[in-house]
Amino acid sequence: MPAERHQPLSAPVQWVEKHHDRADTHQGRRIFWTRLATGQVQVGDTLRVFPSGQTAQVAQVLNTVRQAQTVGAGQSAGIVLDREVDISRGDWLLAPDSAAAPWQKSGQTEIRTTVAWLDDEPLVVGRVYWALHGHRWVKAKVKAIDHRIDIHTLVATHAPELPANAMGQVVLGLQQALPVCPFAVSRPLGSLVLVDPASHRTAGAALVLA
């Protein structure tokens, strides 16, 4: 992932490992395991936690065999911070605010997406689904179906709903803001999975356009 590696850091927290018996109180006592979506991380970097906005410095970076190492996009890492910060699974570790960060224009709660619909129940305006972004779950409401895309010709046509195996451009309203960016810029930041809240079936895949 050479392109993603040169972007500012973004990393979804997948697992929090606690060390209650660690004697060193000069740094945090937890390891935040993640697979970096963009950028790279090394000791001394300043990180911002999403959504809390707290900041801390990186005290240690561990690779998958727990050796100290600088880690880049597409690789897994365990990150130890210089102090205790309230972070849990589903949060994101981000580079401090930067004009170069791909998610800077996408902190809003409304996103335009291309949706590949998988469920037998059609996608219709007004329905609410669970959306999985990284390891974070938020509710997503279908606010509009701009058009359906013919998968053979790519011609856009008006459609009041998306049936199974159809694709279309859909506007989603999110219950909470997410650090998203266009899928063309970053695959991890620009993709979501939609899940039916009643049946718990995977209903569709959404790629962020803007």
Side-chain angles (χ1 to χ4, degrees):
M1 292 185 175
E4 283 92 344
R5 182 181 284 263
H6 289 93
Q7 295 173 4
L9 173 72
S10 63
V13 177
Q14 182 177 10
W15 176 42
V16 180
E17 182 180 349
K18 300 179 181 179
H19 291 284
H20 298 291
D21 58 346
R22 179 181 289 174
D24 183 4
T25 59
H26 292 88
Q27 65 185 39
R29 299 188 180 186
R30 295 183 294 169
I31 304 175
F32 304 103
W33 290 97
T34 177
R35 181 181 174 90
L36 272 65
T38 58
Q40 56 184 355
V41 62
Q42 59 188 357
V43 173
D45 287 350
T46 297
L47 302 182
R48 176 171 63 89
V49 182
F50 180 92
S52 71
Q54 300 176 87
T55 59
Q57 284 193 322
V58 177
Q60 293 184 57
V61 179
L62 307 176
N63 62 13
T64 53
V65 291
R66 297 178 182 265
Q67 294 176 335
Q69 180 179 324
T70 297
V71 175
Q75 297 177 308
S76 296
I79 298 174
V80 180
L81 301 178
D82 65 342
R83 63 188 182 88
E84 282 298 310
V85 180
D86 185 12
I87 301 174
S88 58
R89 176 182 168 88
D91 291 350
W92 283 76
L93 303 178
L94 305 175
D97 290 338
S98 165
W103 58 84
Q104 286 300 306
K105 297 182 179 179
S106 316
Q108 72 272 17
T109 55
E110 184 173 296
I111 56 175
R112 192 172 302 277
T113 66
T114 296
V115 171
W117 197 242
L118 309 174
D119 202 349
D120 292 334
E121 291 291 329
L123 179 147
V124 295
V125 174
R127 285 290 305 273
V128 176
Y129 297 91
W130 282 109
L132 176 62
H133 178 254
H135 302 288
R136 189 173 191 83
W137 291 94
V138 301
K139 288 185 177 179
K141 183 176 183 179
V142 180
K143 300 191 70 173
I145 300 175
D146 288 345
H147 54 254
R148 179 176 174 177
I149 303 171
D150 188 298
I151 60 175
H152 301 292
T153 65
L154 301 183
V155 173
T157 57
H158 171 73
E161 62 181 33
L162 292 183
N165 301 318
M167 292 182 61
Q169 191 172 114
V170 176
V171 178
L172 297 175
L174 304 176
Q175 185 184 36
Q176 301 173 351
L178 294 173
V180 299
C181 72
F183 182 80
V185 176
S186 169
R187 288 173 290 178
L189 287 164
S191 59
L192 304 94
V193 175
L194 301 178
V195 174
D196 187 289
S199 66
H200 305 293
R201 294 194 301 265
T202 299
L207 306 183
V208 177
L209 296 173

